[in-house]
Structures are given as structure tokens and as C-alpha cells.
Amino acid sequence: MSSLDETGKALQKVARGMGIVLAGTVISMLLTFLSRAIIARHFDRYQYGSFTLTLTVLSIAVTISLLGLQSGLPREISRNLKGKREEVPALITTGLLMAVTASLIMTAVTLYMAPHIAPLLNDRYLGETLRLAAPALPFMVMTALLVAVSRGYGRVRENLYYRNVLPPLLFLIILVTGLLTGAGFTFVFLAYVLSQVLSSALLVRESLSLGFLPRRPILDWRIARELFLFSLPLMLTGILDYVMGWTDSLMLGYYFDPDTVGLYNGAAPIARLLPLFLNSMGFLYMPIATAFFTNGDIDGLRKLYRTTTRWVFILTFPVFLFVFAFPESAINLFFGSKYTDAATALRILSAGFMFHVMMGLNGMSLIAVGEPRANMTGNIFASAANVALNVLLILVYGIEGAAVATSVSYVTANLYRTWWLHRKTGIHPFGRNYIKVLAPGLGLTVAMTAMGVRDNLLTAIPVTVAGYLVYLATILGLRTVEVEDIELLDAIESKTGVKLGPVKRLLSRFLSDE
């Protein structure tokens, strides 16, 4: 079979998986947003900031506990299923035992450190809320690892049900029930722990019934050593990811107070919506990219990388256009008018996260080609820039300074990853078609922002829709459609029964010459 045929099939598989993962991610984000909005509106801005700081510290503890295995384990399972299938049970249970042990240690550390962290972040609630939330840690780690195991088998169902949907849904239900019965602020964290415990327990039961989780634990020290050495850079990369993503909130808490953190987090979660399609595409991307690289098919990997990057940009662009051109409307839609002072910060953050989207799945590609240390190195540079810029800018510019620091860190990390991937494989995202997709989008964003259209929902939504339609017409006219796009529609048509003949005929008229 030719490389083009293999790439087409791989893209179809990624797209089908993306559809499932995207549905789960959208549901998860909507439920999480709803919970955050309820907390932000029901309590004051200080308490919302305290909630954000608690989950930030907890997330860092989870990242350390995972030891990078959430990325390393799927890769190793995928590889062993092809040649050493008998080692997979030992691989799974060894990884789980490593991570669960680390999570228990981190739980104890968090409980001990809670009263010492609170004064550093000027938060009168944090000592208590961290102790209330810390017991969720081992269950969050167990859920993440079992989802990683299912990912190694090429499955997305467990991620959809037990990570994307169930935890935020249970949290929302328990939270609303408690608040309706008059529960106070501390109940928020009890609801969070209970939702994680129930989700993890149900996933353990499911994993046992599927045979993914051996009933008798096997600890193989050779496998443990190999997993640790491969996954250690991924753990450090994950920690640095949190430094890039959450230093702003932590340092705002350090220099100011949770009220300022709460204001800033009326903008930051919206900007973090932008990699939605990128992350959804990435769930199945890495095992397929690994297979291409293992088989020596660099051309197939290049086509996979470039095509997924182009799709992701086109799908993300209308969200970016709305958030960047109309930041007050975006904030008011989700968090209410008391957070609209963060509009400038949102515009800055959205630019940084959109650059991350533009560069595609460079980090996962580096893992697929066996270069996880390059991700770590890029994140070291980015995190250093983030911390330094936060120190320099926050006291002068407040939340806008924090937004600049975070955006610069994402630009730095992505430039380094893309450069290293090109150095290692000759692959980069900027084919001729992609340039023809990028240029009109960025030009339209500048034009719409310069027009100064009134920033309210009644004008923002129709103007954004009209702008996106103009953008789609423009990129069609520039002939950016590729053969793989038509093949993808064929796959959707055969799987769903929906007749897409007119769409395929229309797109066929605009096929690229590249």
C-alpha cells in the first residue's frame, strides 16, 4: 500500500477518534465552565480565586504523581502490542503501582504543606481548602493512568466517559445539590473529592471487566526502570507545562490576593478553550504518528502532521476570532460583568494560545519520534521566560502583565519544539496550503479588531459568523482543499449514512495543485 493510502487511512482514524474525543472534551469543558460560572457567581471573587489556587496546586501535585506515565505508558503499550504482547500486563500494573505510590506520597506532602502554602499566596482559605481537596489526588491519578492504558489500546471510550464526562458531571450535580441546600464554600471541595472518587471507582471496575487491568498486580523492576527513564522527561515537561500555564495565577496570588486571581481567571479559562480541537485531535495522533515513525515512513508522518495542523487551525479560527475581537462579550457570556475588566488580558492570552494551535501537534510528534527531552528543554526555556516576565511585569501591569508572560512562554515553547522536530525529521507545518489558510485568517482578525465594532453579544456573534463565512470562501478560492479532505468525507459518509455528495463535489472544484 502506498504512503498516500496509509496517510489517508491514518487521517480518517484520527478524525473519527477526534470526533469522539472532541464530543467528550466539549461536554467536559461545558460542564467545567458551568461549575466555574456557578462558583464565580454564587461566591465572591476572592473565593473564586481561592478555588482556582487550590485546584492549581492540586494539579501540580497530580502532574508530579503521574511521573509522565500518562504519555509514556500509551506509547509503550502500543509498541508492545505489536511485538511483545505478553509483557503488556506487567507493563500496565508496574506503571499503575509506580504512579499510585507517588500519588500517596504527594497527598501526604500536600496535607503537610497546606498551612505553609496559604500565607505565601495571601489566601486565608487555602490552608483548609487544600486539606479538603488533597484526598482526591490518588483517585485522579488512577483515572488518568487507566485512561492512558485504554489509549495505548487505541480506545477513546474510557476517556470520553470516565475523564471527560463523569467527573465534571458528578461535580456539577453534587455542587448544585449542596448549594441549593445551603452548603458553604468548603462544600465545593468535598463535592470535588467525591466526584473524583466515584469516577475512579467506576473506571477500575470497567478496566477489570475489559481485561485491561490484571487482577493480580505484577511489579517488574526492569520495566519500572525503563518506564521511569523514558517518562521522567515527560513528567518534567508536564510540570513545566503547569509552570507555563499556572505561574500567572500563583504569582498574582503572591503579589496581590485571590480577588485579583479571580478576576484574571475570568479570562484565562476562556483562552484555554482555544486548543480544544488540537487536544482532541492529539488523543489518537500519537500512537498513529509513532507507527509511521517506527516503520520509517517520514513522508506519511509529515502529511499527517501538516494535515491535522491545517484542520485544527480552520476549526479553531472562529472561536479565536470571537474571543480576540470581542473579549468583553466572551467574558460576560461565561462569567458575568464583574469580570469584564479582564478583557485586555483575554485578548493577550488568546493570541498566545492561538500561536500554540497554529504550530500543531509538535510536542506529541516529538514523543512519537522518541525525543521527549526536546519537549522538556523547550519548556525549560519557556518556563524561565514565564517566571522572569511575571516578576518584571505583574507589579507594573497587573493581570495584563501576567497575560503577556504566559503568552510569550507558549510562543517560546512552540518555536523550540517546531525547530527541534524539523532538525530531527525535516518536518514542519508550513506547507504552501497552510500558508494560504493562515494569511487570510490573521488578516481578517486584524481588520475586524481595527474596525472597532461595538463589543456586545448582539453584534459580536453575527459579525463573527459573517467573518468566518468570508474566511471559508476565501480559502476555498485559494484552492486549499486536499485529496485527504475528500477521503475524510467519504469515511464520514460511509460511517454515518449522511449523503455528502454535494459537499464533496463542491470541494473537489477547489483541490490544491500542491
Side-chain angles (χ1 to χ4, degrees):
M1 185 177 288
S2 70
S3 174
L4 183 61
D5 291 337
E6 290 284 355
T7 307
K9 286 192 172 185
L11 288 168
Q12 290 173 19
K13 187 174 181 181
V14 169
R16 287 195 298 270
M18 187 191 80
I20 298 171
V21 176
L22 176 61
T25 306
V26 169
I27 293 169
S28 175
M29 286 192 162
L30 288 175
L31 292 171
T32 301
F33 258 112
L34 188 54
S35 298
R36 280 181 169 265
I38 289 170
I39 294 167
R41 291 171 185 269
H42 188 83
F43 299 101
D44 60 41
R45 217 162 63 182
Y46 188 106
Q47 289 172 313
Y48 175 58
S50 184
F51 170 77
T52 300
L53 289 172
T54 302
L55 292 195
T56 299
V57 175
L58 190 65
S59 296
I60 293 171
V62 169
T63 302
I64 295 171
S65 301
L66 284 169
L67 304 174
L69 294 169
Q70 77 278 14
S71 296
L73 199 56
R75 182 181 187 273
E76 294 304 304
I77 291 172
S78 179
R79 290 180 60 198
N80 279 273
L81 286 173
K82 296 182 185 302
K84 298 179 180 178
R85 199 176 188 92
E86 69 280 358
E87 289 195 4
V88 171
L91 182 66
I92 291 171
T93 53
T94 298
L96 286 170
L97 287 169
M98 291 168 64
V100 169
T101 301
S103 73
L104 293 173
I105 294 170
M106 285 305 302
T107 300
V109 170
T110 304
L111 290 169
Y112 174 76
M113 292 298 297
H116 304 287
I117 296 172
L120 285 176
L121 299 177
N122 300 305
D123 190 335
R124 63 178 179 268
Y125 294 111
L126 197 60
E128 182 182 5
T129 58
L130 266 180
R131 285 181 165 174
L132 289 170
L137 215 160
F139 300 97
M140 295 168 73
V141 168
M142 177 65 77
T143 298
L145 260 293
L146 290 177
V147 166
V149 169
S150 73
R151 184 183 180 188
Y153 280 93
R155 292 171 58 93
V156 296
R157 180 179 179 274
E158 288 69 35
N159 184 68
L160 172 65
Y161 291 151
Y162 298 100
R163 197 172 192 189
N164 289 147
V165 176
L166 201 55
L169 178 61
L170 288 172
F171 178 52
L172 179 62
I173 292 170
I174 298 168
L175 174 68
V176 170
T177 302
L179 295 182
L180 287 175
T181 57
F185 182 56
T186 55
F187 177 78
V188 172
F189 303 93
L190 296 176
Y192 189 81
V193 172
L194 185 56
S195 66
Q196 297 297 332
V197 171
L198 292 174
S199 301
S200 182
L202 290 170
L203 180 53
V204 168
R205 180 183 177 186
E206 176 82 359
S207 299
L208 286 167
S209 68
L210 289 170
F212 291 164
L213 189 60
R215 295 182 182 273
R216 185 173 63 86
I218 306 167
L219 177 61
D220 187 311
W221 290 104
R222 177 188 60 82
I223 291 175
R225 180 178 178 277
E226 291 174 357
L227 269 177
F228 181 75
L229 291 177
F230 181 81
S231 298
L232 180 61
L234 300 177
M235 179 191 74
L236 297 176
T237 300
I239 294 170
L240 293 169
D241 273 334
Y242 271 102
V243 171
M244 287 164 53
W246 296 102
T247 295
D248 42 15
S249 290
L250 293 173
M251 294 190 74
L252 284 169
Y254 178 77
Y255 284 119
F256 296 104
D257 55 33
D259 181 72
T260 307
V261 176
L263 175 62
Y264 182 73
N265 277 278
I270 299 173
R272 291 191 178 98
L273 277 174
L274 291 172
L276 169 64
F277 292 103
L278 183 72
N279 296 336
S280 300
M281 186 85 72
F283 191 80
L284 282 181
Y285 175 90
M286 192 177 70
I288 297 170
T290 300
F292 273 125
F293 183 74
T294 302
N295 294 332
D297 189 357
I298 299 299
D299 285 338
L301 179 57
R302 178 184 292 107
K303 193 69 174 177
L304 180 69
Y305 178 46
R306 286 189 173 183
T307 305
T308 52
T309 302
R310 185 168 53 87
W311 287 351
V312 164
F313 180 86
I314 293 170
L315 291 170
T316 306
F317 179 67
V319 183
F320 169 69
L321 186 63
F322 173 65
V323 169
F324 189 87
F326 306 105
E328 288 188 17
S329 295
I331 291 172
N332 199 24
L333 178 64
F334 293 113
F335 291 98
S337 58
K338 65 183 175 182
Y339 293 91
T340 53
D341 287 345
T344 301
L346 175 56
R347 184 169 276 171
I348 295 167
L349 285 168
S350 65
F353 278 94
M354 192 60 184
F355 186 85
H356 173 50
V357 170
M358 282 169 50
M359 304 307 281
L361 292 163
N362 45 28
M364 287 197 174
S365 298
L366 285 169
I367 295 172
V369 302
E371 292 286 333
R373 287 178 176 80
N375 277 332
M376 181 181 69
T377 304
N379 280 8
I380 288 172
F381 291 138
S383 298
N386 195 354
V387 172
L389 287 172
N390 270 303
V391 170
L392 291 172
L393 298 178
I394 280 180
L395 283 175
V396 180
Y397 300 105
I399 62 173
E400 287 81 11
V404 169
T406 296
S407 293
V408 168
S409 71
Y410 274 89
V411 170
T412 303
N414 277 280
L415 286 175
Y416 183 85
R417 289 171 185 165
T418 302
W419 169 75
W420 190 271
L421 181 64
H422 181 257
R423 180 175 179 266
K424 171 75 175 180
T425 64
I427 293 172
H428 63 81
F430 298 107
R432 188 176 67 181
N433 272 347
Y434 191 41
I435 297 296
K436 291 192 291 186
V437 164
L438 283 177
L442 299 180
L444 179 63
T445 303
V446 172
M448 280 185 56
T449 305
M451 286 168 59
V453 180
R454 189 175 178 184
D455 193 349
N456 63 62
L457 283 173
L458 291 177
T459 55
I461 292 176
V463 169
T464 300
V465 171
Y468 188 54
L469 291 175
V470 169
Y471 169 72
L472 291 177
T474 302
I475 62 174
L476 279 177
L478 292 173
R479 295 187 172 275
T480 59
V481 180
E482 297 183 358
V483 173
E484 287 76 19
D485 301 325
I486 309 297
E487 291 177 346
L488 172 62
L489 292 177
D490 287 334
I492 293 173
E493 190 175 53
S494 63
K495 190 173 183 64
T496 64
V498 177
K499 300 300 181 184
L500 298 173
V503 178
K504 291 189 290 184
R505 286 192 293 273
L506 173 64
L507 293 181
S508 296
R509 296 173 59 185
F510 299 98
L511 278 173
S512 169
D513 297 327
E514 187 177 280

